[in-house]
């Protein structure tokens, strides 16, 4: 069971994902083109996730100037719990 805070942040995380991440990582995290399949992202690597989103990684641009910390948290909640 997920915390109330995580459940409440899922819709925001899903919206951020669809707007910013889905073009490469696939709609609803399905069928990523050449991007990493986020359904397989290790759940115990929060710092790696935040660092990759903030600073960018390989072909992924940095989102740190566009996303606020709370939005990155919502995105983490979505990636780790949503659309399973």
């Amino acid at each position: 069971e997920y915390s109330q805070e995580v459940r409440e942040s899922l819709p925001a995380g899903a919206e951020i994902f669809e707007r910013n991440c889905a073009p490469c990582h696939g709609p609803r995290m399905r069928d990523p083109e050449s991007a990493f399949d986020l359904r397989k992202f290790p759940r115990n690597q929060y710092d790696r996730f935040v660092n990759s989103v903030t600073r960018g990684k390989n072909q992924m641009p940095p989102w740190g100037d566009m996303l606020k910390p709370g939005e990155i948290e919502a995105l983490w909640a979505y990636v780790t719990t949503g659309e399973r």
Side-chain angles (χ1 to χ4, degrees), residues 3-15:
S3 72
Q4 171 114 9
E5 184 179 16
V6 167
R7 287 194 309 273
E8 288 174 357
S9 67
L10 285 175
E15 182 178 318

Side-chain angles (χ1 to χ4, degrees), residues 22-37:
C24 297
H25 290 281
R28 304 176 100 183
M29 293 189 283
R30 288 172 170 69
D31 302 318
E33 296 296 320
S34 59
F36 186 85
D37 184 347

